[in-house]
Amino acid sequence: MEDLKNFIDKVGYPRLIIGGFLLILCILAAVLAIPIPGLLGDILTRVGMNGILVLAMVPAIQAGAGLNFALPLGIVCGLIGALISIEFKLGGFTGFITALLVAIPLSAIAGYFYGQMLNRIKGQEMTVGTYVGFSVVSGMCIFWLLAPFRSPELIWAYGGTGLRVTVSLESTIDKVLNNFLSFSIAGVRVPTGLLAFFALCCFAVWLFGKTKSGAIMNAAGANEKFAIATGINVNQQRILGIVLSTVLAAIGIIVYSQSFGFLQLYNAPLYSAFPAVAAVLIGGASIKKATISHVIIGTFLFQALLVVSLPVINILADGSMSEVIRIIISNGIILYALTRKTGGDLT
Amino acid sequence: MDSNAVLQKIKDRNQSFGEWAFKLIVPIVFIGLCGIGYHFSELPFIFVLNEVIIRLARNSFLVISLIIPVIAGMGLNFGIVLGAMAGQIALIFIANYSLEGLGGLLIAVLVSTPVAIVFGYLVGLVLNKAKGKEMITSMILGFFANGLYQLVFLLFAGTIIPFKKEGLLLSTGVGLRNSVDLAGVRYALDDIYKYRPDAFPMLTIPVVTLLVVALLCVTLTFFTKTKLGQEMRAVGQNMHIAQVAGINVDRTRIMAVIISTVLAAWGQIIFLQNIGTLNTYGSHEQVGLFAVASLLIGGASVSKATYKQALLGTFLFHMLFIISPMAGQNIMNDSQIGEFFRVFVAYGVIGLALLLHAWQSKGKKQSLKSS
Amino acid sequence: MTTEYLLQIDNVSKEYSGNRVLKGVTINIKPGEVHGLVGENGAGKSTLMNILFGMSVIHDTGGYEGNIIIDGNIVNPKTPKESMELGIGMVHQEFMLIPGFSVTENIKLNREVTKDNLFSRILGPKMKTLDFKKMGKDGREALDKLGMSIDEWMPVAGLPVGYMQFVEIAREIDKENLKLLVFDEPTAVLAESEADRFLKIVRKLADLGIAILFISHRLDEIIEITDNITVLRDGEVVSNLATKDADVHKIAELMVGRKLEQTIIKKTRDEREKEDYILELEDLYVDMPGEKVKALNLKVHRGEILGIGGLGGQGKIGVANGIMGLYPTTGKILKNGIPLPLNQPKKALDSGLAFVTEDRRGVGLLLDDSIEHNIAISALQIKNKFLKKLANINMMNEKEIRQHALEMIKELDIRCTGPKQLTRRLSGGNQQKVCIARALTLDPDIVLVSEPTRGIDVGAKKIVLDLLVKLNKELGMTVIITSSELAELRSVSDRIAIVFEGKLEGVLAPDASDVDFGLMMAGEYGKEEVS
């Protein structure tokens, strides 16, 4: 009994429940004779395309600013970067890298100002962040409508005002990473470039944690009073964390979009923070602590669950149930994290 | 005694500047916006007035349902989404049994109440576990409950929950249709008595609905002067001191949420009897957002709200709603801009209010430290 | 059973997880009596009050032995509500007033006068309407009893502290069944004139037949106002005496006593040059909540161990925190004669100061980080130690950190499973050693240690203290120890500075008499000399 409790404590309820649920779904999938290689390929792709957005949570949590619900802030910067690269008709890796080069400074600036703001409202970062994210997305809707883009890829074919709701990337950066060194093994398509890029980002964040500034930022986030007593400028460290998080979000959406094949504008990024938040929590992170392993485990569990549940539920019940399950799981996990005692330390 | 003069001074400077500014500046800005928008929309005055009155009648109840949790110090209760769900469950119930007219509406109110009490109790329990983070928690709770709600009506309707009336379920026999026709209770409340002033043929005023809202305002005023109301005010100001004084803080907070949820359920019923169709999976989603935005536009803050602010805010917010597409069309040659703009306003005003509140409460904490 | 006593605390004992904090305490109070309760911090006063008020912290930790007897009946209240119903009231040290409420609403908080209405008959008493007129009348009456002229409808927010205190008292005397009123350090926040007025009112209340339990550190006040005095020390009643038989001297001596018969380490140091000061504090003000320092002047000799003592809340903790720049500070701090920038922790650390905080778990440690990181982080930040370059980026040198941690673990005898263990899992004593190890890693020339032995067991206490002495002797570090435990200070320090009400009351040699220490801690030392 004691061992069981220790085990649960160590693994944590979120991982245990989601893991168990996934296991049941896998058994069901096997019973229903759903082709496994296809599912595996899907899981790999989706882990790669969502992973960086989840990774964006890590610096914010480590710097003590909690879950970054203002992820859309970075996302719109990433979208702008991608749009500009398309506007200049840049395709392939050139287009991808141009998109990054435009998006990174933009998101760093946005993150800097957002970080300044968060420093004035310590303890309420998540509530305010959520609505900052919403406001940015809805404000950008007006921007998309008025933005001076001319490329026919971007604007409506029949000449209406503003950008399209979804922009196809087929002729530009569609799947540049996914197809890079991609190969098939036993029917499973491995998106090597995508996974490698995700791994690279993870490694960069991990490496940052090993630098002096990374260690200092972690200390500032773990215990503000301690940090002050150690002569650390806590506010500066928090801004650093937010900037990194916002930049990663911008990179994340570009990677996501190239894999998805479309840029989704207007209201599409509205709830984009929630799956990322849920994934990192499922991985075992808390409002105060997150590591790279949480990101990888969480993204894998969450995406695997979605991938496997779709065909299973399609056979057993209505297709829209998969979306419903996603809503319940992601919000349920966030709710769990918010109501945990240890989660209260932030305020 | 001269110390009394000193005390008077203290009394005068009591109101903090930030709160005062938000209380006045926000409504003034929106009055200005509405004025400009009205001018450019080129809509006839009576038309706008008529629309605003209709919306005021159908939305105010929901907005006012937010006030009690604010008094109890729990901030803006985004969890009224659950109340709206309770109201919709009751409406689906009466639609299933083909209950019609005012009687049907009253039965819906009766059915929704116990459901809303249970929902409110559960929300209260969760929020008590997340003290200091009530707003984000209630918001996530709303999303979460929305998932469960969809699960119930998509999967259980027709399988576990039997439905009597034909046409409510999807053709597969499982899951509720996307929209439920509420023709039976449409205008059941509004149509009891509608005042049509002779001078303005285009104007119709749903008198009874407005009376119901007025009654709610009176009740609310009365409530704040009761023992329970006083306890909520005490808990809202300082939980610790209330606890020491022997007030059961957790219970009081749960009561506040229950009342809010029940009011929201009734409010949603009033809202939908005017709309006439229930969008099964969508009608409740934006309830929290629009109600909260309305309240804040009226000059309320996260810690202070009155029914006057609720009414003013509802008026301004919906005025903006009516005029902004036309104004957008006329200014920018695109009606979409207006639509995006009003959504932006809803999110933006909430974001701003939360920001100011967090800012202020941090300032207060600091000044306490140094005193 | 009838008795002349209103309240009898009968042979009450209490232990917190094996630590006996009260040992057979017996106190008897008659109606109309003002009874003083004095003792150092940790003597058991607050535990006793928690028992009296049925606070949950007592019952969650296994309850207590002995009885609380009121009017001859054993009552043993289990909840604050029960004690309230028994007629026990308390004026809190921190005000329990709701700022947004008026004076009357605060006086009647949760005891509002209500009247029935239609809804209350259906929905129950919670829906009763408040009778503001009646409430105002009651509030006025209570205020009048105290001779307060303020408007009963004035909001409490912004009232001067003295008034808030009176509102609190008004709330208590408004309770019809009030029999016993407890004052916990009531005059600490009051100005002198307010305090005089306050003491008069206390006397007046006693004349109304209310028994009063008066807790204070101000001994002159205790002598002036009380009828009887109980002195607590280490959870025991050391004396129960009538005030007329007592004087400030006697109480001071009783309070301090000689707790620990430890041989004072004989200093065999050479007479050092008197004028060589490593640290000088001039006119220091520190705004640390609860531990304010007000115009303190103190000079620290190079190479000495200086103890800073005093009662809780008098500001001794604020001194080190102010020097380190952790709380808003004004005044002048000279390190080796050079002014140290104020309010900048980094500058203080840069100048060779190191600090071991009194709040070990809150400020002193990264609880969810490893021992090795905890030890290394300050030196990493301040001294750029443990770094290596990788493509021009400063990387942590994990190998060096590990090696240093292992050395420290060995040297300070930190009991752990290894340098990777999280500090949260360590015992208090070992956590303290990690904090000291971190301070040492900075190679400081002054180390400030606050409450080094708080919350750690006896064995570890000795190790920690011996360690500090060793640092001082072998490395010549100047050590400033702040501690609530006088015995501890006397066993290691060269000199002991006593802080009272934010000021330096005086400096004593460790072998000075108990009476001197007692008087200084009670702020009576200076007064004696004048008279």
Side-chain angles (χ1 to χ4, degrees), chain A residues 210 212 216 223 226 231 289, chain C residues 362 368 381 384 394 396 398:
Chain A
K210 299 283 163 205
K212 181 187 172 187
I216 299 295
N223 184 342
F226 174 94
K289 190 164 183 154
Chain C
D368 290 313
Q381 157 76 0
N384 282 324
N394 280 324
M396 276 195 286
E398 306 249 4

Side-chain angles (χ1 to χ4, degrees), chain C residues 117-135:
Chain C
N117 59 46
L118 181 66
F119 294 98
S120 70
R121 293 202 177 90
I122 306 166
L123 296 169
K126 286 270 182 203
M127 295 307 291
K128 282 186 182 179
T129 330
L130 301 186
D131 188 343
F132 282 103
K133 225 169 118 191
K134 184 90 200 325
M135 280 165 64

Side-chain angles (χ1 to χ4, degrees), chain B residues 94-222:
Chain B
I94 61 161
N96 186 35
Y97 288 94
S98 308
L99 301 169
E100 290 182 357
L102 192 60
L105 199 74
L106 288 177
I107 290 172
V109 168
L110 283 180
V111 172
S112 72
T113 309
V115 180
I117 289 174
V118 173
F119 284 4
Y121 179 73
L122 294 175
V123 176
L125 283 185
V126 173
L127 293 191
N128 276 343
K129 289 189 92 180
K131 285 182 186 137
K133 292 174 296 200
E134 288 94 347
M135 281 188 277
I136 179 127
T137 308
S138 69
M139 198 171 75
I140 301 287
L141 191 60
F143 295 149
F144 177 69
N146 187 28
L148 292 179
Y149 174 93
Q150 293 193 16
L151 184 75
V152 167
F153 284 107
L154 273 177
L155 195 63
F156 297 164
T159 50
I160 299 172
I161 312 163
F163 272 82
K164 221 174 86 174
K165 191 171 172 183
E166 272 180 47
L168 273 181
L169 293 178
L170 292 165
S171 52
T172 53
V174 179
L176 211 60
R177 267 179 195 278
N178 269 333
S179 66
V180 174
D181 187 14
L182 298 175
V185 290
R186 185 159 198 203
Y187 298 141
L189 193 60
D190 294 349
D191 275 351
I192 296 175
Y193 177 66
K194 272 192 176 160
Y195 176 62
R196 293 187 172 81
D198 297 332
F200 307 103
M202 283 178 64
L203 208 58
T204 47
I205 300 169
V207 178
V208 180
T209 315
L210 287 175
L211 275 178
V212 169
V213 172
L215 187 68
L216 177 66
C217 295
V218 173
T219 316
L220 196 69
T221 313
F222 165 79

Side-chain angles (χ1 to χ4, degrees), chain A residues 296-340:
Chain A
I296 297 171
I297 296 171
T299 315
F300 175 76
L301 283 177
F302 191 55
Q303 295 302 330
L305 187 73
L306 296 184
V307 170
V308 181
S309 70
L310 189 66
V312 172
I313 287 170
N314 257 336
I315 294 172
L316 295 179
D318 190 75
S320 52
M321 283 315 295
S322 170
E323 172 66 10
V324 172
I325 285 176
R326 190 184 66 79
I327 293 174
I328 294 178
I329 288 175
S330 56
N331 290 303
I333 293 290
I334 300 172
L335 209 52
Y336 171 80
L338 285 172
T339 50
R340 269 170 73 181

